[in-house]
Short mmCIF file of all heavy atoms in Angstrom, two decimals:
data_model
loop_
_atom_site.label_atom_id
_atom_site.label_comp_id
_atom_site.label_asym_id
_atom_site.label_seq_id
_atom_site.Cartn_x
_atom_site.Cartn_y
_atom_site.Cartn_z
N HIS X 70 93.30 112.46 107.51
CA HIS X 70 94.30 113.50 107.34
C HIS X 70 94.96 113.39 105.92
O HIS X 70 95.08 114.40 105.22
CB HIS X 70 95.39 113.23 108.34
CG HIS X 70 96.67 114.00 108.12
ND1 HIS X 70 96.73 115.37 107.98
CD2 HIS X 70 97.93 113.51 107.81
CE1 HIS X 70 98.00 115.70 107.69
NE2 HIS X 70 98.73 114.64 107.59
N GLN X 71 95.28 112.18 105.46
CA GLN X 71 95.95 112.06 104.17
C GLN X 71 95.03 112.38 102.96
O GLN X 71 95.43 112.93 101.97
CB GLN X 71 96.62 110.61 104.03
CG GLN X 71 97.69 110.34 105.01
CD GLN X 71 98.93 111.15 104.75
OE1 GLN X 71 99.12 111.74 103.72
NE2 GLN X 71 99.81 111.17 105.77
N ALA X 72 93.72 111.94 103.15
CA ALA X 72 92.80 112.25 102.04
C ALA X 72 92.56 113.72 101.81
O ALA X 72 92.39 114.25 100.72
CB ALA X 72 91.43 111.51 102.41
N GLN X 73 92.50 114.52 103.00
CA GLN X 73 92.33 115.96 102.83
C GLN X 73 93.57 116.58 102.20
O GLN X 73 93.41 117.52 101.38
CB GLN X 73 92.11 116.49 104.22
CG GLN X 73 90.73 116.20 104.85
CD GLN X 73 90.64 116.72 106.20
OE1 GLN X 73 90.19 117.84 106.40
NE2 GLN X 73 90.85 115.90 107.23
N ALA X 74 94.76 116.05 102.49
CA ALA X 74 95.98 116.56 101.83
C ALA X 74 95.93 116.20 100.31
O ALA X 74 96.36 117.06 99.56
CB ALA X 74 97.24 115.98 102.53
N MET X 75 95.56 114.97 99.96
CA MET X 75 95.55 114.62 98.57
C MET X 75 94.56 115.49 97.89
O MET X 75 94.78 116.05 96.73
CB MET X 75 95.15 113.20 98.44
CG MET X 75 95.07 112.66 96.99
SD MET X 75 94.70 110.96 96.82
CE MET X 75 92.96 110.94 97.33
N LEU X 76 93.37 115.76 98.45
CA LEU X 76 92.35 116.54 97.87
C LEU X 76 92.86 117.96 97.61
O LEU X 76 92.58 118.60 96.56
CB LEU X 76 91.09 116.53 98.73
CG LEU X 76 89.79 117.07 98.14
CD1 LEU X 76 89.46 116.41 96.85
CD2 LEU X 76 88.67 116.89 99.12
N GLU X 77 93.53 118.53 98.62
CA GLU X 77 94.00 119.90 98.45
C GLU X 77 95.07 120.01 97.38
O GLU X 77 95.15 120.99 96.67
CB GLU X 77 94.70 120.37 99.80
CG GLU X 77 95.21 121.82 99.73
CD GLU X 77 95.80 122.26 101.06
OE1 GLU X 77 95.14 122.13 102.09
OE2 GLU X 77 97.00 122.64 101.05
N SER X 78 95.84 118.96 97.19
CA SER X 78 96.85 118.95 96.11
C SER X 78 96.18 118.98 94.75
O SER X 78 96.78 119.44 93.77
CB SER X 78 97.78 117.70 96.21
OG SER X 78 97.01 116.55 95.77
N TRP X 79 94.89 118.52 94.69
CA TRP X 79 94.11 118.59 93.45
C TRP X 79 93.45 119.81 93.17
O TRP X 79 93.42 120.41 92.09
CB TRP X 79 93.11 117.44 93.40
CG TRP X 79 93.68 116.12 93.32
CD1 TRP X 79 94.93 115.72 92.98
CD2 TRP X 79 93.05 114.87 93.71
NE1 TRP X 79 95.08 114.37 93.07
CE2 TRP X 79 93.92 113.82 93.44
CE3 TRP X 79 91.73 114.53 94.07
CZ2 TRP X 79 93.58 112.46 93.68
CZ3 TRP X 79 91.40 113.20 94.22
CH2 TRP X 79 92.27 112.18 94.07
N VAL X 80 92.84 120.50 94.21
CA VAL X 80 91.94 121.61 94.06
C VAL X 80 92.41 122.90 94.65
O VAL X 80 91.76 123.89 94.47
CB VAL X 80 90.56 121.28 94.63
CG1 VAL X 80 89.94 120.04 93.97
CG2 VAL X 80 90.59 121.08 96.16
N GLY X 81 93.58 122.87 95.37
CA GLY X 81 94.06 124.07 95.92
C GLY X 81 93.45 124.37 97.27
O GLY X 81 92.46 123.71 97.69
N THR X 82 93.99 125.39 97.96
CA THR X 82 93.49 125.58 99.34
C THR X 82 92.07 126.06 99.38
O THR X 82 91.26 125.63 100.21
CB THR X 82 94.36 126.80 99.89
OG1 THR X 82 95.71 126.40 99.94
CG2 THR X 82 93.90 127.10 101.35
N GLY X 83 91.61 126.87 98.39
CA GLY X 83 90.21 127.32 98.34
C GLY X 83 89.29 126.35 97.64
O GLY X 83 88.05 126.52 97.67
N GLY X 84 89.85 125.34 97.06
CA GLY X 84 89.00 124.28 96.37
C GLY X 84 88.55 124.70 94.97
O GLY X 84 87.66 124.11 94.39
N ASN X 85 89.07 125.75 94.43
CA ASN X 85 88.62 126.24 93.16
C ASN X 85 89.52 126.09 92.00
O ASN X 85 89.26 126.61 90.92
CB ASN X 85 88.28 127.73 93.30
CG ASN X 85 87.12 128.03 94.23
OD1 ASN X 85 86.08 127.36 94.15
ND2 ASN X 85 87.35 128.95 95.22
N ARG X 86 90.64 125.33 92.19
CA ARG X 86 91.64 125.15 91.15
C ARG X 86 91.00 124.27 90.03
O ARG X 86 90.45 123.27 90.29
CB ARG X 86 92.89 124.52 91.65
CG ARG X 86 93.95 124.34 90.56
CD ARG X 86 95.09 123.50 91.15
NE ARG X 86 95.75 124.15 92.29
CZ ARG X 86 96.51 123.52 93.21
NH1 ARG X 86 96.58 122.20 93.10
NH2 ARG X 86 97.05 124.16 94.15
N GLN X 88 91.79 122.21 87.06
CA GLN X 88 92.81 121.60 86.22
C GLN X 88 92.57 120.09 86.17
O GLN X 88 91.89 119.53 87.02
CB GLN X 88 94.23 121.80 86.87
CG GLN X 88 94.40 121.17 88.19
CD GLN X 88 95.81 121.32 88.73
OE1 GLN X 88 96.45 122.27 88.43
NE2 GLN X 88 96.23 120.38 89.64
N VAL X 90 93.47 116.37 86.52
CA VAL X 90 94.38 115.59 87.39
C VAL X 90 94.61 114.28 86.65
O VAL X 90 93.71 113.45 86.52
CB VAL X 90 93.71 115.24 88.78
CG1 VAL X 90 94.73 114.56 89.64
CG2 VAL X 90 93.39 116.59 89.48
N ASP X 96 98.76 109.29 92.96
CA ASP X 96 98.34 109.91 94.21
C ASP X 96 97.74 108.96 95.15
O ASP X 96 97.91 109.01 96.37
CB ASP X 96 97.47 111.15 93.96
CG ASP X 96 98.14 112.24 93.20
OD1 ASP X 96 99.42 112.30 93.23
OD2 ASP X 96 97.49 113.08 92.63
N TRP X 116 102.29 114.93 102.79
CA TRP X 116 102.02 115.27 101.34
C TRP X 116 102.91 116.35 100.91
O TRP X 116 103.08 117.36 101.48
CB TRP X 116 100.57 115.63 101.16
CG TRP X 116 100.04 115.25 99.83
CD1 TRP X 116 100.02 115.98 98.64
CD2 TRP X 116 99.55 113.92 99.50
NE1 TRP X 116 99.54 115.23 97.65
CE2 TRP X 116 99.21 113.94 98.12
CE3 TRP X 116 99.41 112.74 100.20
CZ2 TRP X 116 98.72 112.86 97.47
CZ3 TRP X 116 98.83 111.65 99.51
CH2 TRP X 116 98.49 111.72 98.22
N PRO X 117 103.58 116.12 99.75
CA PRO X 117 104.55 117.19 99.24
C PRO X 117 103.88 118.41 98.69
O PRO X 117 102.73 118.31 98.23
CB PRO X 117 105.31 116.38 98.16
CG PRO X 117 104.31 115.42 97.68
CD PRO X 117 103.51 114.95 98.88
N ASN X 118 104.54 119.50 98.78
CA ASN X 118 104.07 120.73 98.20
C ASN X 118 102.74 121.27 98.56
O ASN X 118 101.96 121.86 97.78
CB ASN X 118 104.11 120.61 96.61
CG ASN X 118 105.43 120.10 96.08
OD1 ASN X 118 106.45 120.54 96.57
ND2 ASN X 118 105.42 119.14 95.18
N LEU X 119 102.35 121.03 99.83
CA LEU X 119 101.15 121.72 100.39
C LEU X 119 101.39 123.18 100.44
O LEU X 119 102.46 123.67 100.84
CB LEU X 119 100.81 121.11 101.77
CG LEU X 119 100.32 119.63 101.76
CD1 LEU X 119 100.06 119.27 103.28
CD2 LEU X 119 99.13 119.42 100.94
N GLU X 120 100.32 123.91 100.20
CA GLU X 120 100.43 125.40 100.22
C GLU X 120 100.59 125.85 101.69
O GLU X 120 99.94 125.42 102.62
CB GLU X 120 99.11 126.00 99.68
CG GLU X 120 99.02 125.72 98.14
CD GLU X 120 97.78 126.43 97.59
OE1 GLU X 120 97.34 127.50 98.13
OE2 GLU X 120 97.23 125.99 96.57
N GLU X 121 101.61 126.73 101.90
CA GLU X 121 101.85 127.30 103.22
C GLU X 121 100.65 127.95 103.87
O GLU X 121 99.94 128.77 103.14
CB GLU X 121 103.00 128.28 103.13
CG GLU X 121 103.49 128.76 104.52
CD GLU X 121 104.27 127.72 105.24
OE1 GLU X 121 104.81 126.71 104.55
OE2 GLU X 121 104.22 127.69 106.44
N GLY X 122 100.30 127.57 105.05
CA GLY X 122 99.16 128.15 105.71
C GLY X 122 97.84 127.43 105.46
O GLY X 122 96.83 127.74 106.10
N SER X 123 97.88 126.40 104.57
CA SER X 123 96.62 125.71 104.32
C SER X 123 96.25 124.76 105.49
O SER X 123 97.06 124.45 106.32
CB SER X 123 96.71 124.86 103.10
OG SER X 123 97.70 123.78 103.26
N GLU X 124 94.98 124.41 105.59
CA GLU X 124 94.59 123.62 106.71
C GLU X 124 95.29 122.26 106.77
O GLU X 124 95.74 121.76 107.83
CB GLU X 124 93.10 123.27 106.51
CG GLU X 124 92.44 122.53 107.75
CD GLU X 124 90.97 122.36 107.60
OE1 GLU X 124 90.33 123.20 106.91
OE2 GLU X 124 90.40 121.45 108.26
N ALA X 125 95.50 121.62 105.58
CA ALA X 125 96.22 120.36 105.57
C ALA X 125 97.72 120.58 105.97
O ALA X 125 98.25 119.73 106.71
CB ALA X 125 96.23 119.75 104.20
N GLN X 126 98.33 121.68 105.58
CA GLN X 126 99.74 121.91 105.90
C GLN X 126 99.85 122.12 107.45
O GLN X 126 100.85 121.76 108.07
CB GLN X 126 100.26 123.13 105.16
CG GLN X 126 101.77 123.34 105.22
CD GLN X 126 102.14 124.23 106.40
OE1 GLN X 126 101.28 125.06 106.84
NE2 GLN X 126 103.40 124.12 106.79
N ILE X 127 98.96 122.96 107.97
CA ILE X 127 98.93 123.23 109.39
C ILE X 127 98.83 121.91 110.20
O ILE X 127 99.51 121.66 111.22
CB ILE X 127 97.85 124.22 109.81
CG1 ILE X 127 98.15 125.59 109.15
CG2 ILE X 127 97.75 124.32 111.29
CD1 ILE X 127 97.11 126.61 109.29
N GLU X 128 97.81 121.15 109.86
CA GLU X 128 97.62 119.90 110.55
C GLU X 128 98.80 118.97 110.45
O GLU X 128 99.28 118.28 111.39
CB GLU X 128 96.41 119.11 109.96
CG GLU X 128 96.11 117.74 110.70
CD GLU X 128 94.94 117.09 110.15
OE1 GLU X 128 94.15 117.68 109.23
OE2 GLU X 128 94.68 115.90 110.59
N VAL X 477 85.54 111.54 102.15
CA VAL X 477 86.17 112.90 102.16
C VAL X 477 85.98 113.53 100.76
O VAL X 477 85.64 114.72 100.73
CB VAL X 477 87.66 112.71 102.52
CG1 VAL X 477 88.38 114.02 102.24
CG2 VAL X 477 87.85 112.35 103.99
N VAL X 478 86.28 112.77 99.70
CA VAL X 478 86.13 113.41 98.40
C VAL X 478 84.73 113.82 97.99
O VAL X 478 84.47 114.96 97.62
CB VAL X 478 86.75 112.44 97.35
CG1 VAL X 478 86.54 113.01 95.92
CG2 VAL X 478 88.20 112.25 97.59
N GLN X 481 82.30 116.67 99.65
CA GLN X 481 82.53 118.09 99.29
C GLN X 481 82.56 118.30 97.75
O GLN X 481 82.30 119.42 97.29
CB GLN X 481 83.88 118.51 99.91
CG GLN X 481 83.99 118.27 101.33
CD GLN X 481 85.38 118.51 101.86
OE1 GLN X 481 85.89 119.64 101.92
NE2 GLN X 481 86.09 117.43 102.11
N TYR X 482 82.98 117.39 96.96
CA TYR X 482 83.27 117.55 95.59
C TYR X 482 82.60 116.48 94.68
O TYR X 482 82.13 115.44 95.16
CB TYR X 482 84.87 117.47 95.40
CG TYR X 482 85.53 118.61 96.06
CD1 TYR X 482 85.97 118.54 97.33
CD2 TYR X 482 85.77 119.82 95.32
CE1 TYR X 482 86.66 119.59 97.97
CE2 TYR X 482 86.41 120.87 95.96
CZ TYR X 482 86.85 120.78 97.23
OH TYR X 482 87.48 121.80 97.89
N VAL X 540 88.16 117.49 89.42
CA VAL X 540 87.58 117.47 90.75
C VAL X 540 86.99 118.89 90.93
O VAL X 540 87.75 119.87 91.03
CB VAL X 540 88.57 117.15 91.89
CG1 VAL X 540 87.90 117.17 93.19
CG2 VAL X 540 89.24 115.80 91.57
#
Side-chain angles (χ1 to χ4, degrees):
H70 165 63
Q71 296 292 345
Q73 291 177 85
M75 180 177 71
L76 192 56
E77 183 181 305
S78 75
W79 292 344
V80 301
T82 304
N85 295 312
R86 183 188 297 159
Q88 66 177 25
V90 182
D96 292 341
W116 211 264
N118 304 319
L119 291 178
E120 295 183 27
E121 189 68 28
S123 67
E124 184 175 338
Q126 189 270 338
I127 293 172
E128 182 179 353
V477 169
V478 173
Q481 307 168 73
Y482 292 88
V540 182

